[in-house]
Amino acid sequence: MRAITREMIYLYNLKDLCFMGYTLDKDATYHHIVKRCDGGEETIENGAVLNPYAHEYLHIIEYKDIETYIAINKILKIINSQKDRPNAEQLKIISTLLSMFE
């Protein structure tokens, strides 16, 4: 796990769930909200902590349904900006978006 991911877990008070509501484990990953190829830097302000499965799934969504990917990324950005773990409403919105994708 990258140092920035560990730092974000601490700063955002993440206990058992990642930004998308999946179980947080020792293999947590850093997701660029603004992609590197679009100029996104690896900073706390541009990151989301994701479970490896959720991270891979998010990028599958990106290639199959860009609108859903953008919508989820917007929620991840809001979660990041509040400097705290995702709240119940945010997790519900993400869950709904994932259900609609499936």
Side-chain angles (χ1 to χ4, degrees), residues 52-95:
Y53 172 80
H55 200 172
E56 182 178 337
Y57 190 37
L58 183 58
H59 286 293
I60 290 169
I61 294 168
E62 175 185 12
Y63 293 111
K64 294 187 177 244
D65 184 352
I66 192 67
E67 285 96 17
T68 299
Y69 173 80
I70 290 168
I72 293 171
N73 245 1
K74 284 181 182 180
I75 300 297
L76 298 179
K77 186 174 183 176
I78 292 167
I79 294 167
N80 182 296
S81 69
Q82 71 195 18
K83 303 293 186 213
D84 200 3
R85 62 180 169 247
N87 62 41
E89 180 181 348
Q90 292 160 338
L91 292 174
K92 184 176 180 180
I93 293 168
I94 289 171
S95 178

Side-chain angles (χ1 to χ4, degrees), residues 3-21:
I4 193 168
T5 308
R6 280 193 297 277
E7 185 176 359
M8 289 179 71
I9 289 169
Y10 173 76
L11 291 173
Y12 291 75
N13 197 25
L14 299 175
K15 296 186 184 321
D16 56 350
L17 299 177
C18 75
F19 276 35
M20 285 179 57

